[in-house]
Amino acid sequence: MGIHVGAVTFDAGDASLLSRFWADALGATARPARDLAGAYVVEPSSAGPLMLFLPVPEPKTAKNRCHLDLHTADYVEDLARLEALGAAVVAHHDEAGRWVVLRDPEGNELCLVEDVPATGE
């Protein structure tokens, strides 16, 4: 099979603002999308799909049915950085690992998950 994820697409009230949040969160760059008026793209600097932000007139009204899990080795520092970028904490979790549910500036849910170094068994 030759199927792969080409892009993760977000509807956005302010595509420029939301793309900048995600670009800053991932250490990438946001730019206007070619051939899509008002849309922006983020191309991650590491492995991962393109992120596409499409302007839509209606606001987000319900919980996401799908969200991104961002993994980090520096959980405390990256949580503080995401909050400084405009993410809001929804809930902390410490069972079977440590992660936090956040909302981006337009209310889309995401998780920040602490990577735990593998131990020898």
Side-chain angles (χ1 to χ4, degrees), residues 1-118:
M1 280 270 170
I3 295 175
H4 68 279
V5 176
V8 175
T9 303
F10 288 78
D11 287 347
D14 185 335
S16 174
L17 173 77
L18 197 57
S19 68
R20 285 192 316 270
F21 167 83
W22 282 96
D24 290 345
L26 298 172
T29 303
R31 65 169 172 77
R34 290 186 287 270
D35 304 323
L36 292 169
Y40 284 78
V41 295
V42 171
E43 298 179 65
S45 55
S46 61
L50 179 90
M51 298 174 80
L52 176 61
F53 298 85
L54 299 174
V56 297
E58 68 277 357
K60 180 180 178 294
T61 59
K63 182 180 183 292
N64 294 25
R65 296 294 298 232
C66 179
H67 69 263
L68 300 180
D69 283 354
L70 307 180
H71 285 242
T72 181
D74 197 341
Y75 180 84
V76 172
E77 181 177 317
D78 284 330
L79 175 56
R81 189 173 61 80
L82 290 172
E83 287 182 288
L85 291 172
V89 172
V90 175
H92 290 274
H93 298 275
D94 289 320
E95 59 276 354
R98 181 164 67 157
W99 77 97
V100 60
V101 179
L102 302 156
R103 286 196 183 103
D104 72 14
E106 289 202 2
N108 299 298
E109 292 85 8
L110 62 130
C111 289
L112 181 67
V113 180
E114 182 178 35
D115 281 336
V116 178

